[in-house]
Amino acid sequence: QSALTQPPSASGSPGQSVTISCTGTSSDVGGYNYVSWYQRHPGKAPKFMIYEVNKRPSGVPDRFSGSKSGNTASLTVSGLQPDDEAIYFCASYAGRNNWVFGAGTQLTVL
Amino acid sequence: QEQLRESGGGVVQPGGSLRLSCTASGFIFRSYGMHWVRQAPGKGLEWVTFIRNDGSDKYYADSVKGRFTISRDDSENTVSLQMNSLRAEDTAIYHCVKDMDWGFGFWGQGILVSVSS
């Protein structure tokens, strides 16, 4: 069982927006602004999409955005494109030199 | 272009040892901390260990503390994971990951470790 809770699936039509949640506790998501998000296509290594809750690494489109409220972080994908179909998972620093992950959410572009 | 290539995986009996290596290229290796992250079959990702860019600090998940040791050789652009007293529950794909901004900035493809009699 993963430390962070994500919905197993999410979906949207091309051009729409979809938001994926990542729920932890005050010891991880709620306690630190070190939440990150990753995209994983089948057979590929995960790709770094969001760091420190809402910052995008160079090269990541601004269609991807992150936020946090309390113990829940969220990833929003706007203007859905077919290539956005992938598994998205979150991670958080959990204090005491420890990191935790979510189990991942399968995003389907209808 | 950044690359991380893991090697050294395979099948080992319970109680045995294995050493994973990860060779980096395409970035200034000595400037970055490095993680190992694993994913057991049918399970989510689990952070395993981290080493600072200068090797001054090493951190371990409770599940591997005392059995696994991370090290780095900046002259060879490699980070290694020595795994001792292996258990069935250590069976997983192990990814080498470049640390960035309190996140997992770049991932290797991963290598399979299978602990089985």
Side-chain angles (χ1 to χ4, degrees):
Chain A
Q1 185 174 354
S2 298
L4 304 179
T5 300
Q6 296 183 238
S9 63
S11 62
S13 300
Q16 289 186 333
S17 294
V18 64
T19 297
I20 298 169
S21 63
C22 169
T23 301
T25 70
S26 58
S27 296
D28 39 64
V29 173
Y32 305 92
N33 287 324
Y34 296 133
V35 177
S36 48
W37 289 90
Y38 305 84
Q39 177 192 65
R40 190 170 197 179
H41 285 111
K44 298 288 187 66
K47 179 182 177 183
F48 193 34
M49 303 299 286
I50 296 286
Y51 67 99
E52 293 180 12
V53 176
N54 56 15
K55 298 177 183 178
R56 281 185 305 278
S58 174
V60 173
D62 60 6
R63 301 186 298 105
F64 293 85
S65 62
S67 62
K68 190 184 85 167
S69 178
N71 296 336
T72 297
S74 298
L75 172 72
T76 297
V77 186
S78 305
L80 273 174
Q81 298 181 1
D83 191 52
D84 296 336
E85 185 162 298
I87 293 174
Y88 291 84
F89 60 91
C90 58
S92 176
Y93 181 65
R96 295 187 297 170
N97 303 313
N98 188 31
W99 284 260
V100 292
F101 286 92
T105 297
Q106 173 68 56
L107 174 60
T108 300
V109 180
L110 302 170
Chain B
Q1 185 178 356
E2 293 181 322
Q3 285 193 359
L4 292 169
R5 184 171 300 176
E6 299 95 341
S7 60
V11 180
V12 61
Q13 292 188 337
S17 297
L18 208 57
R19 185 178 181 87
L20 302 182
S21 292
C22 170
T23 302
S25 60
F27 63 96
I28 302 173
F29 181 72
R30 65 178 181 275
S31 294
Y32 293 91
M34 298 295 296
H35 300 267
W36 287 94
V37 175
R38 68 184 181 184
Q39 186 166 24
K43 300 285 185 66
L45 290 159
E46 179 188 17
W47 172 78
V48 176
T49 181
F50 169 76
I51 185 168
R52 286 201 186 279
N53 63 314
D54 61 1
S56 60
D57 292 301
K58 305 173 185 180
Y59 310 127
Y60 299 91
D62 287 344
S63 58
V64 307
K65 203 170 291 183
R67 300 188 298 122
F68 289 14
T69 302
I70 190 171
S71 61
R72 63 188 298 154
D73 182 345
D74 290 349
S75 68
E76 298 286 338
N77 284 3
T78 61
V79 58
S80 298
L81 183 63
Q82 177 66 43
M83 303 184 293
N84 298 333
S85 303
L86 282 161
R87 307 165 180 167
E89 54 265 37
D90 295 318
T91 294
I93 293 174
Y94 285 73
H95 295 271
C96 166
V97 188
K98 171 189 171 188
D99 180 73
M100 282 185 66
D101 299 310
W102 293 88
F104 302 88
F106 187 81
W107 297 61
Q109 284 283 81
I111 194 157
L112 179 62
V113 171
S114 180
V115 184
S116 172
S117 55

